[in-house]
Amino acid sequence: MTRALEAEHRRTLWWRTAGPEDAASPAPAPPDGSRVDVAVVGGGFLGLTAALHLARRGRRVAVLEAERVGSGASGVNAGFVVPNFAKADPAAVVKRLGRTRGETLLRMVGMGGTRVFETVRENAIACDAEETGWLHVAHSPAALEVLRVRAEAWRSLGRPVRLLEREEARALSGARLCAGALLDESGGMLNPLAYARGLAGVALGAGAMIAEGTRIDAVEREGADWRLRHAGGSLLAARVLLCTNAFRTGVARRLADAVVPLQVYQAATAPLSAEEARRLAPGRHPAADTRANLFTYRLDAENRLISGGMSMLPVGAHARMGRMISRRLADELRLPAVPPLEHVWTGRAAMVPDFLPHVFEFGPGFLGGIGCNGRGIALTAMLGEALADASCGVPLAELPVPSGPARPLPFAPLARIAPSFAIAQARWQDRRIGREA
Ligand SMILES: Cc1cc2nc3c(=O)[nH]c(=O)nc-3n(C[C@H](O)[C@H](O)[C@H](O)COP(=O)(O)OP(=O)(O)OC[C@H]3O[C@@H](n4cnc5c(N)ncnc54)[C@H](O)[C@@H]3O)c2cc1C
């Protein structure tokens, strides 16, 4: 890992709690000039899931990871398993894609949590997975009405989602602003770095190759194949999957140009007392609320409180965000004293303007997957399979995910600073709500 990336990873709670790396360790780059059926660029949840499906179908597949497995967002996220969209409502998805395609995508996304926990169970991945369900807390009566419609839409698709009125929601959540909640029983939480390492172990066991320290700088057409170039040589692949999320290193830039990067901070406290943990989350549900500047919280296996936020300015952000997250925890959860923060860390998420997952085509058989929008744990479990399907010959038009040529965002430099303005606006709205509450 580069020194800067490793320094950030060492700040995370997961670095301390994920346990030792799997004994079946990934290898260095495949020998120069070797050829595989599918080359997967990026060893996060998405690349590892795609590789696992491909290996199980007998494909010769190599994951090429610039750093270490889980070096990206997969190793630093908050571990909420949330099987829905960050912003897009089911009705909006159907309106945008039409009933058939919209409902196909919704069914796929809705299955994400169930699939994650199945994978964890079936492969005995030790990642502190808790299939508790996920709570979306309405901060106001108006927000509860939005959740009521949303819960009904998911129920009509067969998902185990229900609306909790104020009293029931308050019994399950310690949140100060709670007018009710949506409970998706197929959600939950886990230790993301342990899950990523576990996925890598399962993919290796299924026959995938995983090469760490292999940054792909270029992918070029060569006859009917693709040549992937890295500092130590190159390899050929019939098909390529770009699973590099928000990174801009080497060939990753092709995908990154289509997304808005979002710097997200997380903090974890020292463990709470068992009594306090029971008060805040008697069912141990991870929770997020409906505000624009959303408030999130969960417990880890040892009852540390984990919450997050976004910073408008990068300078001095770790210390500032730590203080801000701590104050917000005290305020939103009415904690007489917040236990000291043990960890404050950051990572880069990738947002897509329409908040939907996409498969992008860079050339014949050269695809990229993106669009997890802060829901990547559940979503990659499904999107990875869709990418594997496409690499095995399923036409793009038959995938459950919108697909097409990659389109760089217009005004890309502006897109990169847009989140700062969005955060400022969300905080302003938040302060207004705080005054009204
Ligand atoms: C702080 C934070 C909190 C989050 N919280 C949650 C949450 O609670 N729940 C949730 O569902 N989602 C959450 N997310 C989003 C989630 O983490 C991501 O959607 C998910 O991890 C994306 O997985 P991925 O495999 O696509 O990308 P990544 O995990 O980012 O993996 C991309 C990989 O590509 C590698 N790479 C880059 N360039 C190259 C190259 N040129 N050659 C080879 N390899 C390369 C990188 O080293 C990296 O390992 C959060 C994100 C952040 C940043």
Side-chain angles (χ1 to χ4, degrees):
M1 250 198 239
T2 60
R3 239 192 251 154
L5 204 59
E6 179 164 341
E8 196 54 50
H9 272 252
R10 284 184 181 279
R11 291 176 191 265
T12 68
L13 168 62
W14 317 122
W15 184 276
R16 170 166 149 200
T17 57
E21 286 174 67
D22 203 290
S25 278
D32 195 17
S34 46
R35 185 180 183 280
V36 293
D37 297 324
V38 188
V40 177
V41 185
F45 302 141
L46 185 61
L48 295 167
T49 305
L52 170 58
H53 283 279
L54 287 161
R56 283 188 174 154
R57 294 177 205 179
R59 299 299 191 278
R60 202 173 141 72
V61 54
V63 177
L64 307 155
E65 164 53 48
E67 308 284 349
R68 306 277 295 273
V69 158
S71 290
S74 299
V76 301
N77 66 68
F80 288 63
V81 181
V82 185
N84 58 40
F85 297 101
K87 300 261 184 212
D89 253 317
V93 175
V94 168
K95 190 167 171 206
R96 189 182 158 84
L97 302 179
R99 182 154 300 279
T100 310
R101 289 193 67 85
E103 289 191 350
T104 307
L105 176 63
L106 289 166
R107 285 206 169 83
M108 180 195 103
V109 169
M111 268 301 290
T114 305
R115 181 64 66 78
V116 167
F117 292 113
E118 267 169 17
T119 303
V120 167
R121 263 194 309 275
E122 284 166 9
N123 299 288
I125 298 176
C127 61
D128 294 328
E130 296 188 57
E131 201 172 0
T132 49
W134 170 77
L135 268 186
H136 201 183
V137 176
H139 72 275
S140 69
L144 184 64
E145 292 317 304
V146 174
L147 294 188
R148 193 182 301 282
V149 175
R150 200 174 288 175
E152 195 41 51
W154 284 113
R155 281 176 72 79
S156 72
L157 291 161
R159 298 310 308 162
V161 175
R162 62 194 176 91
L163 196 84
L164 310 181
E165 300 298 342
R166 186 183 152 102
E167 289 318 310
E168 201 182 352
R170 289 196 164 199
L172 290 183
S173 150
R176 175 177 67 92
L177 298 178
C178 176
L182 175 153
L183 172 64
D184 187 330
E185 286 167 352
S186 67
M189 56 192 173
L190 46 66
N191 177 325
L193 181 58
Y195 173 58
R197 288 178 180 169
L199 279 178
V202 181
L204 284 168
M209 290 172 270
I210 302 181
E212 293 187 322
T214 308
R215 189 185 81 191
I216 301 302
D217 293 318
V219 176
E220 295 151 6
R221 197 72 171 141
E222 190 167 308
D225 283 338
W226 294 98
R227 183 169 291 281
L228 292 92
R229 297 191 185 281
H230 53 89
S234 69
L235 77 157
L236 281 172
R239 292 171 184 266
V240 180
L241 295 177
L242 196 54
C243 301
T244 45
N245 198 33
F247 282 81
R248 299 188 63 78
T249 37
V251 73
R253 181 165 303 179
R254 291 193 185 212
L255 199 54
D257 279 344
V259 305
V260 179
L262 199 61
Q263 201 65 35
V264 185
Y265 288 78
Q266 298 291 330
T269 68
L272 295 172
S273 67
E275 192 187 332
E276 191 72 298
R278 255 195 313 279
R279 178 182 78 80
L280 296 180
R284 297 190 56 77
H285 301 98
D289 77 8
T290 41
R291 274 173 288 182
N293 179 23
L294 85 172
F295 171 64
T296 62
Y297 75 97
R298 60 160 286 192
L299 300 170
D300 82 338
E302 290 163 52
N303 288 337
R304 292 181 184 85
L305 255 181
I306 302 167
S307 186
M310 278 168 286
S311 170
M312 285 185 281
L313 297 170
V315 184
H318 282 87
R320 201 172 55 250
M321 289 307 296
R323 286 192 298 274
M324 200 205 87
I325 291 170
S326 192
R327 271 199 308 272
R328 206 168 181 204
L329 279 169
D331 187 31
E332 301 293 346
L333 298 176
R334 290 173 289 210
L335 284 167
V338 180
L341 292 188
E342 288 184 343
H343 301 266
V344 181
W345 71 94
T346 185
R348 194 167 296 162
M351 310 303 281
V352 181
D354 66 4
F355 295 101
L356 299 182
H358 289 267
V359 169
F360 289 133
E361 190 173 29
F362 300 102
F366 180 7
L367 305 174
I370 195 75
C372 298
N373 295 297
R375 301 283 198 256
I377 301 177
L379 191 58
T380 51
M382 308 307 293
L383 185 57
E385 184 176 11
L387 286 175
D389 288 343
S391 300
C392 292
V394 173
L396 292 189
E398 288 176 24
L399 295 184
V401 187
S403 60
R407 255 180 266 116
L409 291 179
F411 312 115
L414 277 184
R416 287 202 280 281
I417 55 166
S420 295
F421 292 102
I423 297 163
Q425 194 199 12
R427 288 213 188 129
W428 180 80
Q429 277 180 13
D430 205 18
R431 265 198 287 276
R432 199 165 48 88
I433 290 162
R435 280 198 300 270
E436 285 164 6

